[in-house]
Amino acid sequence: MEVWRVNVRSQSLSREELFQSWERLGGRGLLARIMVDEVIPTCNPLGPNNKLIFSPGLIVGHMLSSCDRISVGGKSPLTGGIKESNAGGRTGLHLTHLGIKALILEDEPENEGWRVLRLEGDSAHFESANDFDGLGVYAAAEMLLKRYGKKVAIALIGPGGVMGLASAGIQNIDKDRVPSRINARGGLGAVMGSKRIRAIIIDKSGGSKPDIVDHEAFKRAQAEFNQALMAQPQTTVYHDYGTAGMTLMCNGFGALPTRNFSSGEFEGAEKLSGEYMREILLNRAGESRTSHACMAGCTIQCSNIFGGEDGKRIVSPLEYETIGLMGANLGIESLDTIARMNWEVNDLGLDSIEVGAALGIAADAGLWSFGDGNKALALIDEIRIGTPLGRVLGNGAAVTGKVLGVSRVPVVKGQAMSAYDPRAIKGTGVTYATSPQGADHTAGLTIRAKVDHLNPKGQADLSRSAQINMAGYDTLGACSFAGFGFGAAPGTIRDLLNARYGWKVNGDVLQDLGRETLSLERLFNRKAGFTRADDRIPEWMTRESIAPHDAVFDVSDSDLDAVFDWD
Ligand code: SF4
């Protein structure tokens, strides 16, 4: 495996052997290592000294169920700290088959044009993308597939990334060639835009599967993992209801963000539930599907295809986070409207969590009324047109709160919270507060733990364990739902790594990878100027309680400071 370093100024590629300290890492862990080794922590995230790094995880490349994810990272224009955002789709698998352990985009171009970066065989090519001007993600992906054929993987940005908006992500085509799998969080699409790369095409046809040192041992571990994954009840629940199955659970905990995080309970929750969505999709024939895999080989298939009454696809997938932030958080209880809003933000190449949070703040400021779906769509259109208000919204919740003078702004380190109110799920609140990634449920969600989520005691321990596990899974390239299988058969992680690489790691490898990754990320952030004061939930959430439990965030500062007790 190699590092491919692409200089966007000279339009050149250098292929390098891996440093020893990079060999044992992949995905999020390798990103963190490269960031610490090579990126000036105080650099301008949209300037020449930032790097945009793509790294498949350590076990990517074998179509292990749900384990072919791609991590993308750099310094975030949203948080000002380190950022990793991972996604499904084809990109991870294709990069691995070309032998690329990390693709690093460096510098900034001298002229204004837009380019496609095409990777194939052992070479990289720059081609003009100027004819994509004004196109959304869906139309651009279609043109790219026509131009480069249906077998390639594509990672691209939309108008949001072109405009340099801090909520812009990078979209990857899924196994059915739909550009739906987004490295959404932290504004990495704007970083790609600053390199003036509109799309990356990866053609793995000249490549091959990565070597496995011990095939028999790998097959045994794979079978054991598959069996454990299939035996878990959550595998069936996520297959049938997708992530939308979280809606009623969150509402029951009083943690469903409602009308800009002013309540944890939404009267329209039933109509936003996974159960209701399943019923709708089963009744609507045509393209609707209640389950769908974002990558080849995933047995969980937590995604869906949300079709309209005419049977035609509106968006795929419609996920809980979007339902929470663009539904309950905006007082909207129509899944059809949320699906349309989701399509629009996808087409713009934006993070639906960040835009949903920004729209909630705009409603709090009186710019529109909660529940008015048409007005919400019109505001998203302002982002597309690039009006000053649209650009404010597209730069995320923190900027929107500042510009509109709203103090109820649900962000940590400048990044919007996901659809779990930290006052009612306090362990996840600890994760929001302390994660080097800013507020992000994927950094360590605690809602499935059998604890009293309202009791502040013990939440720091819960979050620590969740954060270490997630950093470990992100380094492996495993979807968090693959964790259902790995959790039941933890030895399979060790066995897969030893079989693939010929290593001799022990049963603690997930913990070791997670801790090392978090330590590196924290080191980068410290050098960028972050202190303990940045590891806090917004002050208003410690004073303003939410219904139905009259809950505030009351985990002590000393508990927050003790999360990374090894670092
Ligand atoms: S479980 Fe869902 S998100 Fe994870 S790999 Fe499968 S389809 Fe993708």
Side-chain angles (χ1 to χ4, degrees), residues 388-403:
L389 174 60
R391 285 172 190 265
V392 168
L393 295 168
N395 272 299
V399 167
T400 302
K402 263 191 197 138
V403 172

Side-chain angles (χ1 to χ4, degrees), residues 66 69 181 292-295 298 300-303 479 481:
S66 333
R69 288 178 82 83
R181 314 311 305 193
H292 178 259
C294 77
M295 61 177 68
C298 174
I300 306 170
Q301 305 184 7
C302 79
S303 294
C479 172
F481 303 142

Side-chain angles (χ1 to χ4, degrees), residues 14-169:
S14 81
R15 292 170 50 201
E16 299 167 6
E17 297 292 315
L18 286 166
F19 298 125
Q20 214 179 3
S21 61
W22 293 11
E23 258 171 22
R24 319 168 281 106
L25 295 169
R28 179 171 163 188
L30 182 55
L31 293 180
R33 183 73 261 172
I34 296 171
M35 290 292 290
V36 166
D37 287 351
E38 297 197 350
V39 176
I40 301 163
T42 51
C43 73
N44 172 4
L46 303 183
N49 289 320
N50 197 10
K51 302 191 181 192
L52 184 69
I53 308 160
F54 292 71
S55 178
L58 282 168
I59 54 174
V60 170
H62 308 283
M63 292 213 288
L64 273 167
S65 179
S66 333
C67 291
D68 278 335
R69 288 178 82 83
I70 181 71
S71 286
V72 182
K75 179 171 172 173
S76 164
L78 194 69
T79 69
I82 195 164
K83 192 71 219 166
E84 183 268 358
S85 181
N86 63 72
R90 298 174 166 202
T91 307
L93 185 80
H94 281 237
L95 283 174
T96 307
H97 282 209
L98 280 189
I100 300 173
K101 180 123 169 145
L103 168 70
I104 309 178
L105 305 190
E106 300 184 332
D107 213 335
E108 69 182 3
E110 266 162 20
N111 57 40
E112 291 288 292
W114 288 92
R115 284 137 208 122
V116 170
L117 171 64
R118 182 166 58 85
L119 310 176
E120 62 164 7
D122 54 7
S123 56
H125 309 268
F126 283 80
E127 288 157 12
S128 171
N130 290 333
D131 47 342
F132 293 93
D133 270 4
L135 289 187
V137 164
Y138 292 104
E142 221 173 287
M143 264 178 72
L144 289 163
L145 285 163
K146 266 194 201 128
R147 188 182 293 178
Y148 296 105
K150 294 190 167 173
K151 289 192 176 158
V152 299
I154 302 174
L156 76 164
I157 58 170
V162 169
M163 283 190 264
L165 301 178
S167 66

